[in-house]
């Protein structure tokens, strides 16, 4: 079920492609809105700050001018009720895109999302649908700290009725957004602040990146690294480190966390015999525990040998603001490479990968 | 002057609600209805006064105490009874029960068991109706009903602020029975002046403190007409009322002594069903009573005969295609 | 790290015990409040309906009379702010017990619990503590339906800074509550409506059941069943079914879900070679995936053979109200026994256990 | 008549805040401060007027825009600067940064980056202070400061209803700069009559629309005295003000054209720091400016010299023992 990895990170030029050009993740999102809002008059976009001159890091710039104040508008600071408003409008046949500038703020609207959004179609036996997109951003760096850096996708994966996607590159950002807008269910659309400025090859035309299909971003025979959201960038860098010592890592981006494409992940793990999941979140009851448990269940069911399994993610602490502590809070290309190295070479085999060139993390400047 | 026709019409609606619920209370000990029932007995005039002026394509939204508005808005009675029986033919296939009644074909938005939740949802529906009217030319109106307790949830203020800001075609109706489960208003509201507070959002407010079905209906008729024809919403209506039976379940719980019997007796005197019956001739009353009995019996028979959902149905409608 | 299982379900008489008597789970809770409020004037209890004549199923009856309206009081319907109020009072050195009559309503106060309660001690570098108990009930049966039956402990296990306990019997209910009240962190105290009326032997005196220690409720050599909250009752019934066909199941109650006592679980799994986790919740990113992943990690680390692993829990749907569907939504003693049987006897070996005598599920009568 | 001493005292506090923040803005491009700074430049008179009447054991609570109240309430300046530098000696050991300043020894409750969150928390602290006063005999007072945007969150209404119900010793202060990030009040409030709305809870309200530091201080002095000596809370204070710089970061962003320059110029004329300086003799002004400069330099030196936390500190204080 793997998909051709034909439009990836900015530093990977696709072999033969027409109708694409290099644009930023955030511009790819903007294009998705523009194309979908043009196509379907029921699509509208709202949330705090969507119509100001910064336009949600540029992702909503110009949309109000083009589609009017009825279809693009800001709201009061009322996340809970505004989520209910989005759900109600969705029940009425509209397709709202509700924007949160931080995933942390979604804790304010869990009731609407979980008790109404996720359940309405089921509880009312199909009498209503809730075609809702909830855009939400994970923050990082420059002292965002405990309340502006959380990645809470596991909370949503736990709930039947919700879908969760977390594209890591511009191509998937556009395609997943279009798919999310057309989906008849509430989709939690997880963006990452550090990905916004990253370029990728993106088709001009409109297209859907279907949910439930993982992407093999890099092939390799020695170890499978499944990475989520911004950790895909770190995993791709780790892959390069590993290559330098002769280890070929296969890097997989699940793209959609729920539905989850275990087939692609297992195909790879069978080949490499090693599966390392790097979540951009806490581990406990997280996406990483789910992926590992599913791997386990699949192997047991088919009585095949279990690959070596491991997971990495945020430290089990609140995210501190100061850089030296933030640095150890997150997995990075070097800690990922070291972990993969040990999985390949054997327990206790330690290796310190070289320091990366300047990354999007270093490049990020505040205030926010 | 009230026409006999109107009186008979409202009487029948209120009676249908009361008899239906009292029949439920009667059936309840048999465990045919395995659902937590929040009865509106004594409060029927609000549902009827509120829903009567609505068109079929207008929308009503409510909480778990939703039998009365479901019936008043014209929801399918047989499917309602079947839902309470947990049957496949129920309005939600048996998956929802008493607290989540829904009938979209009659403009009845699904109810919710979590206090307050439906207020923003109804508001969002009104936003959609405002958008839709720009192409259809017809302004459909949304009514959001909730209890006094519902106004204590922060989302109520968030929702009405937004509705007032966008001038949405929605009417908020607070059924103020001064109780949240067993807790009186005095223990929950710093001050009893909800209308005054809501008015600070620039919202028109109306307060009706005797549950008079005609007053409620008239206020609603004007409000609906106003919104239908370009008037700027929202509109807020607070209706005092009294819950005769226990918060949830079939019992009269006055013997539990958490509320005053005097108040109950006062409210019984204002009972709109008795009042309207007295305005009609005996034959009409009898005819209506018979009709109501027959409708309820038919609903009960339908529910009893209907099959339960099959185990596979557990997995239908988890995701919409 | 296993604890002596000296005070269990009502149907198990302890061998030699003084100073205990058989009381209901709900009365054990009430006794914990009374003893702790007597001991420490900083403890107070509040929430919707705590002072009405039903007293939260009896668990708070008489407390206002005894401790006054300052220490036992009801609130408006404002879960979000009331949780903040509890957190603020806790920061000021008080020990609030905040009561929610449904776990579903906690979705309204996730922001306060996760963004403030869980983080304050860390984010303010130890300058404040948040000694808060959040009582919360899982509902079941009699048409409670989608919004009155959720078990959301996994959402809280995911968050650093919170503790989560879910006692399944009267003895643990009292001891865990006392421990929770004395704990200097926010503790999510998960109760289950169907456990309230179940009797257990409970000491008269005050005692703590420490967090992070699982209980072996029943010893057995063939299969380990770890069961959460009300599923402990089902697992104990399943154990009896299994015994009737010669299979000895070891039944473990983690009691505290976070911290989690993997030692006791692994000791047992090593002995039986089989570990079945039965959660009283959804599976995805749930407590069951976490326990299985930890088991896997431990075995890989120590290079020991992996036991057979499996999990059960709620169907991945919203909970329907009608009985026939509710029956298939939950695991039960028979489905648990059948699963354990297959783990012991081999894949494809099916067995239909006998029907139970009347259980607390059948005994439960509405309206709520 | 205002004593020169008082004028000098208030002037110094306001100047310390402004100079500290402007120095931050200056340092910011060097990346020494890797923290999102929400400056209060232009709004200082509120923090100073509000905090001056408080005793050391009274409590102030604030949002992410918390530098001004931290300083005005007497928070440790060196530890504040060290916190902004991410140093181990910071008021929160470098774990909190600009948005979560805290100094419990000076009654400064930890700030929060999530709008609205601190309002209920402060309310709970006030509940505890009400309980404590019954044994200590001394009523400590809590002040909860938030922006106009904070009043749009439902928890604000939930909290003030509860505070009014329990008559808590808390003063709510809304710093109304009419902006939430770049969004003007008009796009967020259905109607601009917050005090009127709050009054419907039976809460005393005061509105000060020129940011006059003496007026604010006097209103607060009366409010604190009232609550200290058995008066029933809560009390609500709305203070109009104007944010001179960008929402977050060091820049003057008037060139972004989302707000009117005229308003800015109007408010600059009301600048309390200029006003109070003019009320003092030149020597005093000079002396105060020198003191302020020295304090800031000392804080900067302290911050610069302090070590960063070690990696192990990542795992301290996850759970309290
Ligand atoms: C968010 C939430 N909190 C608490 C409850 C429990 N509860 C169910 S009904 C009710 C009382 C609600 O009172 P009101 O809104 O006045 O409606 P009424 O029952 O009087 O019609 C409460 C507290 C709930 N269902 N949802
Ligand atoms: C719950 C929440 N929603 C949104 C944000 C993003 N945000 C940060 S500051 C801000 C504006 C707040 O305005 P106001 O309360 O008036 O305070 P001011 O910045 O003007 O002092 C917003 C929307 C947030 N931090 N928290
Ligand atoms: Mg009520
Ligand atoms: Mg503001």
């Amino acid at each position: 079920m793997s998909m051709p990895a034909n439009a990836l990170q900015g530093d990977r030029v696709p072999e033969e492609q027409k109708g694409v050009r290099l644009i930023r993740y955030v511009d790819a999102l903007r294009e998705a809105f523009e194309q979908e809002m043009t196509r379907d008059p029921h699509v509208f976009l709202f949330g705090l700050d969507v119509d100001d001159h910064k336009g949600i890091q540029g992702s909503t710039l110009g949309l109000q001018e083009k589609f009017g104040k009825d279809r693009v508008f800001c709201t009061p600071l009322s996340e809970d009720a505004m989520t209910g408003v989005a759900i109600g409008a969705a029940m009425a046949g509209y397709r709202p895109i509700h924007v949160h500038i931080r995933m942390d703020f979604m804790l304010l609207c869990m009731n609407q999302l979980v008790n109404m959004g996720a359940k309405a179609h089921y509880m009312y036996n199909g009498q209503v649908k809730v075609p809702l997109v909830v855009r939400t951003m994970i923050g990082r760096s420059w002292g965002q700290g405990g309340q502006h850096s959380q990645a809470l996708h596991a909370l949503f994966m736990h709930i039947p009725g919700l879908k969760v996607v977390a594209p890591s590159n511009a191509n998937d950002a556009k395609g997943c957004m279009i798919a999310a807008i057309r989906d008849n269910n509430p989709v939690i659309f997880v963006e990452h602040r550090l990905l916004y400025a990253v370029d990728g090859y993106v088709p001009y035309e409109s297209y859907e990146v279907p949910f439930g299909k993982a992407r093999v971003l890099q092939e390799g025979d020695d170890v499978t690294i499944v990475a989520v959201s911004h950790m895909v960038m770190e995993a791709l860098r780790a892959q390069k480190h590993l290559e330098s010592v002769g280890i070929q890592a296969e890097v997989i981006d699940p793209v959609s966390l729920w539905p989850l494409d275990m087939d692609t992940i297992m195909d790879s793990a069978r080949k490499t015999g090693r599966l390392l999941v790097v979540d951009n979140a806490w581990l406990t009851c997280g996406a990483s525990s789910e992926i590992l448990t599913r791997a386990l269940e699949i192997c047991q069911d088919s009585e095949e040998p279990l690959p070596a399994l491991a997971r990495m993610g945020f430290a089990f602490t609140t995210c501190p603001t100061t850089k030296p502590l933030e640095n150890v809070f997150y997995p990075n290309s070097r800690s990922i490479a070291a972990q993969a190295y040990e999985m390949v070479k054997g327990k206790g085999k330690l290796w310190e990968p070289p320091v990366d060139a300047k990354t999007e993390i270093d490049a990020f400047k505040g205030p926010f | 002057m009230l026409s006999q026709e109107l009186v008979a019409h409202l009487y029948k609606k209120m009676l249908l609600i009361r008899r239906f619920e009292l029949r439920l209370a009667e059936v309840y000990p048999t465990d045919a209805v395995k659902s937590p029932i929040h009865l509106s007995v004594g409060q029927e005039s609000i549902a009827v006064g509120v829903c009567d002026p609505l068109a079929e394509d207008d929308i009503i939204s409510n909480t778990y105490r939703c039998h009365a508005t479901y019936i008043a808005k014209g929801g399918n009675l047989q499917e309602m009874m079947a839902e309470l029986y947990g049957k496949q033919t129920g309005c939600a296939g048996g998956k929802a029960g008493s607290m989540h009644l829904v009938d979209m074909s009659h403009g009845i938005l699904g109810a919710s068991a979590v206090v307050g939740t439906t207020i923003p949802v109804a508001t969002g529906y009104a936003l959609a109706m405002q958008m839709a009217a720009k192409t259809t030319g017809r302004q459909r109106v949304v009514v959001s009903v909730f209890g006094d307790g519902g106004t204590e949830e922060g989302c109520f203020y968030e929702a009405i602020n937004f509705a007032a800001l966008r001038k949405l075609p929605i009417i908020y109706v607070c059924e103020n029975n001064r109780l949240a489960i067993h807790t009186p208003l005095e223990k929950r509201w710093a001050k009893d002046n909800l209308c005054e507070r809501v008015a600070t959002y620039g919202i028109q407010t109306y307060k009706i403190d005797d549950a008079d079905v005609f007053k409620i209906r008239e206020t609603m008729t004007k409000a609906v007409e106003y919104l239908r024809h370009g008037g700027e919403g929202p509109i807020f209506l607070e209706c005092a009322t009294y819950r005769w039976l226990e918060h949830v379940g079939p019992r009269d719980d006055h013997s539990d002594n958490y509320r005053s019997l005097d108040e109950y007796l006062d409210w019984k005197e204002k009972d709109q069903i008795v009042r309207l019956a007295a305005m009609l001739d005996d034959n009409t009353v009898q005819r209506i009573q018979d009709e109501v009995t027959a409708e309820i019996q038919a609903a009960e028979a339908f529910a009893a005969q209907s099959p339960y959902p099959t185990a596979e149905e557990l997995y239908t409608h988890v995701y919409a295609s």
Side-chain angles (χ1 to χ4, degrees), chain A, chain B:
Chain A
M1 299 246 295
S2 137
M3 300 190 53
N6 59 357
L8 304 173
Q9 308 307 317
D11 57 342
R12 303 164 165 263
V13 184
E15 284 144 38
E16 184 82 344
Q17 262 195 36
K18 292 181 205 117
V20 306
R21 79 293 195 206
L22 217 48
I23 56 172
R24 295 179 309 157
Y25 187 103
V26 77
D27 299 319
L29 284 175
R30 197 198 156 287
E31 190 165 272
F33 303 135
E34 188 162 354
Q35 292 182 349
E36 281 301 289
M37 292 185 74
T38 305
R39 187 189 61 81
D40 182 350
H42 290 98
V43 178
F44 69 95
L45 184 148
F46 76 122
L48 289 169
D49 313 326
V50 300
D51 63 354
D52 74 13
H53 61 285
K54 301 224 167 153
I56 313 290
Q57 313 290 337
S59 64
T60 62
L61 276 183
L63 296 175
Q64 191 177 63
E65 288 73 4
K66 178 149 186 184
F67 299 104
K69 291 187 177 178
D70 280 347
R71 293 183 64 194
V72 179
F73 54 90
C74 70
T75 74
L77 280 83
S78 306
E79 286 82 356
D80 181 16
M82 291 308 105
T83 304
V85 163
I87 292 169
M91 286 179 178
Y94 282 76
R95 297 187 169 273
I97 302 162
H98 187 209
V99 187
H100 294 274
I101 58 168
R102 299 282 168 186
M103 195 156 199
D104 313 72
F105 307 157
M106 291 185 69
L107 291 163
L108 283 158
C109 54
M110 296 293 286
N111 178 51
Q112 284 293 343
L113 286 174
V114 175
N115 279 332
M116 287 303 289
K119 294 180 176 40
H121 184 65
Y122 188 89
M123 205 160 59
Y124 306 130
N125 207 31
Q127 285 199 39
V128 290
K129 293 176 181 173
V130 184
L132 163 65
V133 181
V134 182
R135 278 186 68 190
T136 169
M137 271 155 250
I138 302 169
R140 175 165 171 187
S141 274
W142 210 266
Q144 320 253 340
Q147 298 173 330
H148 274 50
S149 60
Q150 287 169 97
L152 301 169
H153 41 271
L155 308 194
F156 301 103
M157 291 170 70
H158 190 59
I159 307 296
L162 300 178
K163 295 188 179 181
V164 185
V165 289
S168 71
N169 61 62
N171 174 74
D172 288 343
K174 177 173 171 185
C176 283
M177 182 53 80
I178 292 176
I181 293 170
R182 296 179 188 176
D183 198 288
N184 280 325
N185 299 282
V187 178
I188 311 298
F189 196 96
V190 183
E191 305 168 18
H192 194 295
R193 191 70 184 75
L194 289 182
L195 295 172
Y196 277 0
V198 180
D199 285 330
Y201 285 94
V202 176
Y204 288 97
E205 62 177 15
S206 173
Y207 59 96
E208 289 184 49
V209 168
F211 300 160
K213 309 238 179 209
R215 271 195 199 287
V216 179
L217 293 178
Q218 176 67 45
E219 297 195 4
D221 287 331
D222 299 326
V223 56
T224 302
I225 304 178
V226 173
V228 175
S229 183
H230 178 251
M231 283 300 143
V232 171
M233 304 278 293
E234 298 289 356
L236 289 170
R237 279 193 284 268
Q239 182 270 333
K240 294 235 169 80
H241 292 317
L242 289 163
E243 207 166 38
S244 74
V245 290
I247 295 175
Q248 308 304 330
E250 182 143 311
V251 179
I252 296 181
D253 177 355
V255 188
S256 106
L257 292 167
W258 198 262
L260 182 64
D261 173 11
M262 282 303 296
D263 290 348
T264 301
I265 293 172
M266 288 311 293
D267 283 349
S268 174
R270 277 181 200 112
K271 178 176 69 174
T272 64
R274 301 176 185 93
L275 173 59
L276 170 61
V277 181
V278 188
D279 198 0
N280 189 81
W282 290 305
L283 298 181
T284 313
C285 298
S288 65
S289 35
E290 185 59 26
I291 293 172
L292 294 187
T293 303
R294 299 277 300 271
L296 184 84
E297 288 172 331
I298 289 165
C299 291
Q300 277 201 177
D301 259 22
S302 57
E303 292 174 32
E304 55 184 317
L306 198 65
L309 300 171
R311 59 178 171 168
M312 300 176 74
F314 295 177
F316 194 68
T317 73
T318 292
C319 181
T321 45
T322 185
K323 201 79 191 164
L325 295 188
E326 202 195 45
N327 286 343
V328 284
F329 177 82
Y330 292 102
N332 58 47
S333 64
R334 302 172 73 214
S335 62
I336 297 168
Q339 169 71 44
Y341 184 92
E342 207 184 338
M343 289 174 81
V344 174
K345 299 286 182 179
K347 221 179 128 179
K349 302 281 182 207
L350 303 185
W351 168 57
E352 190 147 340
V355 177
D356 292 303
K358 194 169 156 133
T359 68
E360 72 287 351
I361 304 156
D362 313 308
F364 186 83
K365 287 266 277 177
F368 251 146
Chain B
M1 256 301 293
L2 296 162
S3 77
Q4 283 295 98
E5 207 181 347
L6 176 64
V7 175
H9 168 72
L10 297 177
Y11 173 67
K12 178 170 175 185
K13 274 194 171 184
M14 292 194 295
L15 192 72
L16 182 59
I17 295 168
R18 177 158 309 169
R19 291 270 173 105
F20 185 96
E21 291 207 318
L22 290 178
R23 176 62 191 153
L24 263 190
E26 214 167 61
V27 172
Y28 209 69
T30 69
D31 296 357
V33 174
K34 287 207 184 66
S35 195
I37 48 169
H38 299 78
L39 303 182
S40 291
V41 175
Q43 304 193 174
E44 302 87 349
S45 68
I46 304 181
V48 171
V50 162
C51 291
D52 196 56
L54 298 177
E56 194 171 60
D57 68 346
D58 289 330
I59 298 288
I60 187 106
S61 156
N62 206 345
T63 66
Y64 50 88
R65 197 179 301 286
C66 58
H67 300 172
T69 45
Y70 178 98
I71 295 173
K73 185 66 172 57
N76 185 305
L77 203 71
Q78 304 199 347
E79 292 179 7
M80 174 181 176
M81 190 64 99
E83 187 61 35
L84 297 173
Y85 274 64
K87 297 301 182 71
Q88 197 181 46
T89 54
C91 59
K95 282 176 172 168
S98 161
M99 302 194 292
H100 309 288
L101 295 180
V102 61
D103 184 349
M104 292 304 290
S105 65
H106 292 95
I108 301 164
L109 264 183
S112 165
V114 183
V115 172
T117 9
T118 49
I119 303 174
V121 172
T123 306
Y125 214 100
L127 176 71
M129 295 303 91
Q130 185 184 56
M131 290 176 175
K134 294 194 176 150
T135 49
T136 63
R138 169 171 167 81
Q139 183 59 68
R140 292 163 63 190
V141 170
V142 177
V143 180
S144 169
V145 182
F146 42 84
D148 43 311
T151 68
E152 293 151 33
E153 295 286 356
C155 69
F156 170 66
Y157 297 96
E158 294 183 356
I160 65 173
N161 179 44
F162 180 76
L165 200 57
R166 311 273 317 178
K167 310 195 189 306
L168 299 184
I170 184 167
I171 304 168
Y172 295 104
V173 178
C174 177
E175 289 184 307
N176 188 350
N177 61 14
R178 303 185 74 84
L179 280 175
I181 307 189
H182 312 111
T183 305
L185 197 93
E186 292 69 24
K187 285 175 141 183
R188 298 178 285 114
W189 287 18
K191 223 176 151 189
D192 180 3
N193 50 359
L194 185 60
C195 278
E196 206 181 303
R197 182 172 315 137
V198 171
T200 68
Y201 289 92
I203 296 174
Q204 289 182 47
T205 66
Y206 301 89
K207 189 169 180 174
I208 294 170
D209 43 27
D210 56 4
D212 182 325
V213 68
F214 302 113
K215 272 194 223 164
I216 297 171
R217 183 177 173 280
E218 203 186 300
T219 309
M220 280 295 296
T221 303
K222 284 188 192 147
V224 171
E225 285 307 294
Y226 176 79
L227 296 176
R228 181 95 69 219
H229 302 296
E232 289 182 344
I235 293 172
F236 181 81
L237 182 52
E238 181 183 349
C239 299
T241 185
Y242 188 85
R243 193 189 77 218
W244 289 14
L245 302 180
E246 61 184 333
H247 168 69
V248 55
R251 268 195 324 135
D252 175 331
D253 67 348
H254 284 86
S255 58
D256 290 0
N257 286 326
Y258 65 91
R259 50 180 178 162
S260 98
L261 205 60
D262 285 352
E263 209 187 341
Y264 181 28
L265 298 177
D266 273 3
W267 276 99
K268 274 203 129 170
E269 266 174 38
K270 292 183 211 146
D271 185 10
Q272 299 295 304
I273 295 180
V274 172
R275 176 184 172 212
L276 267 63
M279 294 166 76
L280 297 167
D281 63 82
D282 289 356
N283 282 346
T284 309
V285 169
Q286 190 57 51
R287 176 181 52 77
I288 290 174
Q289 290 184 350
D290 292 346
E291 283 170 15
V292 160
T293 305
E295 284 180 42
I296 294 168
Q297 276 171 358
E300 224 175 304
F302 176 79
Q305 286 156 19
S306 293
Y308 283 106
T310 57
E312 304 79 67
E313 286 174 68
L314 177 64
Y315 290 99
T316 56
H317 297 308
V318 179
Y319 290 94
S321 53

